[in-house]
Amino acid sequence: MFQTLYSYFWWERLWLPANLTWADLEDRDGRVYAKASDLYITLPLAFLFLVVRHLFETYVATPLAGLLNVKEKVRLKATPNAVLEKFYAATSKHPKQADVEVLSKKSGCTVRQVERWFRRRRNQDRPSLLKKFREASWRFTFYLIAFIAGMAVIVDKPWFYDLREVWKGYPIQSMLPSQYWYYMIELSFYWSLLFSIASDVKRKDFKEQIIHHVATIILISFSWFANYIRAGTLIMALHDSSDYLLESAKMFNYAGWRNTCNNIFIVFAAVFIITRLVILPFWIMHCTVFYPLDLYPAFFGYYFFNFMMVVLQSLHIFWAYLIIRMAQKFITGKVVEDERSDREETDNSEEEEEVAKNGPLSNGHPVLNNNHRKTD
């Protein structure tokens, strides 16, 4: 049964145009072609990435956070309460008003104390500022290096300037060592992101992030199997061109450098929209949808590759919507925040205590003598 499934999976008509077989892609005359077995190395490389990430975050990102004065916000811990903890863990982190009243009677606390306990307990589970900074630093470093390396791989190739060259001679297109390592490193990195997603900072687009990582892994892997390497390198470099800008904006945001963060964010928004909503659909996807049909009839691999491109483009449209919302806030003078982030909740009782001690509040923070608000 396994052999039958294996045979169906690697049936040439699924992966290659008509009248071509895997024998046409066997190494010969010094020309090397992509093979599915090449991708086995990406799994151990993914775990190596996790080790390198841990070392980077410990010995590079953490000292850098200290230099940039990234400070943790002091969080008040919820007092131990078995009744409330059981409800928090097993039922809901956001109890309804009826639940709050029932929990108040069971725990012997007032309704206000129960509400305060849940606010503090939720804040305890939120990732620390240092964790966010370390994660953004790691991704910034990888995306920047990957973008520079990717451009070095493709900038001297004819298909970088003429997209019809992407399909010239397809699929009998040999592979260069630089293309091999570019693919292996990119795919390994996305495997590492998928492996660590449960422990990374969770944002509101958590499900979309999982879909993105899975779609990216499938797209990179399939493009390797079907020898869509030229198109694949263009797509990967295009994505890396804006990602490092977003991560650097996050780093400066966590460090409290608001103006620098806002300026980088505007550059990121412009690059993201140009690359993901203009170049990708109107140049790259046009290249993958129309140009191959000039050479051979459509086959399953053609449809599958472009379907995954549509999935990826749909996610880009979703994220572009969030980016435009943030850009509008920036233009109107509001502080730019990550629309995907889960904001920390304020304890109202603490605010009232601060009013008594320090005077009136502005948006939940004491008004300082220099007429500037304290920022989180």
Side-chain angles (χ1 to χ4, degrees), residues 70-316:
V70 176
K71 293 182 178 180
E72 294 288 2
K73 183 176 181 180
V74 177
R75 294 174 177 174
L76 296 176
K77 293 185 177 181
T79 55
N81 188 303
V83 173
L84 301 182
E85 186 66 39
K86 181 179 179 181
F87 186 92
Y88 181 88
T91 306
S92 174
K93 297 180 180 180
H94 297 269
K96 297 179 181 179
Q97 189 59 37
D99 295 325
V100 170
E101 293 174 0
V102 172
L103 290 171
S104 173
K105 295 177 182 178
K106 288 184 178 180
S107 63
C109 302
T110 65
V111 169
R112 188 166 185 175
Q113 287 173 331
V114 172
E115 292 172 341
R116 183 193 307 158
W117 187 94
F118 274 92
R119 280 195 296 271
R120 291 182 178 179
R121 185 66 183 83
R122 287 192 294 268
N123 283 338
Q124 283 179 228
D125 281 352
R126 290 189 172 88
S128 67
L129 198 63
L130 179 59
K131 178 178 174 62
K132 292 179 179 180
F133 181 88
R134 287 164 47 149
E135 181 179 313
S137 300
W138 165 246
R139 295 193 183 193
F140 163 76
T141 302
F142 175 83
Y143 288 135
L144 179 59
I145 294 174
F147 175 63
I148 295 172
M151 291 304 296
V153 168
I154 64 175
V155 73
D156 62 338
K157 306 300 186 293
W159 56 86
F160 182 73
Y161 305 96
D162 181 4
L163 292 179
R164 289 192 178 274
E165 291 287 331
V166 167
W167 306 108
K168 186 176 181 180
Y170 179 83
I172 314 299
Q173 297 173 338
S174 58
M175 171 188 63
L176 300 174
S178 58
Q179 294 172 318
Y180 170 85
W181 284 111
Y182 187 34
Y183 253 82
M184 296 306 107
I185 290 173
E186 284 274 355
L187 183 55
S188 300
F189 178 74
Y190 279 102
W191 273 120
S192 73
L193 289 184
L194 191 62
F195 294 157
S196 65
I197 197 167
S199 59
D200 285 344
V201 175
K202 289 184 176 62
R203 292 185 167 86
K204 294 176 182 178
D205 63 344
F206 178 72
K207 293 180 181 179
E208 288 80 4
Q209 283 286 350
I210 294 178
I211 294 172
H212 174 266
H213 295 340
V214 172
T216 301
I217 289 170
I218 293 174
L219 195 55
I220 293 176
S221 300
F222 178 83
S223 66
W224 184 263
F225 296 160
N227 211 25
Y228 277 35
I229 295 178
R230 294 182 181 180
T233 53
L234 292 174
I235 294 167
M236 291 188 293
L238 190 72
H239 282 74
D240 291 335
S241 65
S242 61
D243 287 340
Y244 71 91
L245 291 170
L246 175 60
E247 299 304 329
S248 63
K250 290 180 185 178
M251 292 168 61
F252 285 113
N253 179 48
Y254 301 145
W257 296 30
R258 299 297 186 188
N259 289 335
T260 304
C261 167
N262 292 341
N263 291 333
I264 293 177
F265 175 79
I266 291 301
V267 176
F268 157 74
V271 173
F272 183 96
I273 290 172
I274 291 172
T275 56
R276 310 287 182 95
L277 300 188
V278 179
I279 295 178
L280 186 65
F282 296 107
W283 269 269
I284 305 298
M285 290 183 67
H286 181 271
C287 166
T288 62
V289 171
F290 295 104
Y291 293 168
L293 299 180
D294 294 337
L295 303 174
Y296 51 79
F299 62 106
F300 174 80
Y302 164 85
Y303 290 116
F304 182 78
F305 183 84
N306 285 293
F307 169 75
M308 295 307 299
M309 289 291 291
V310 170
V311 172
L312 212 55
Q313 185 60 36
S314 300
L315 292 171
H316 295 157

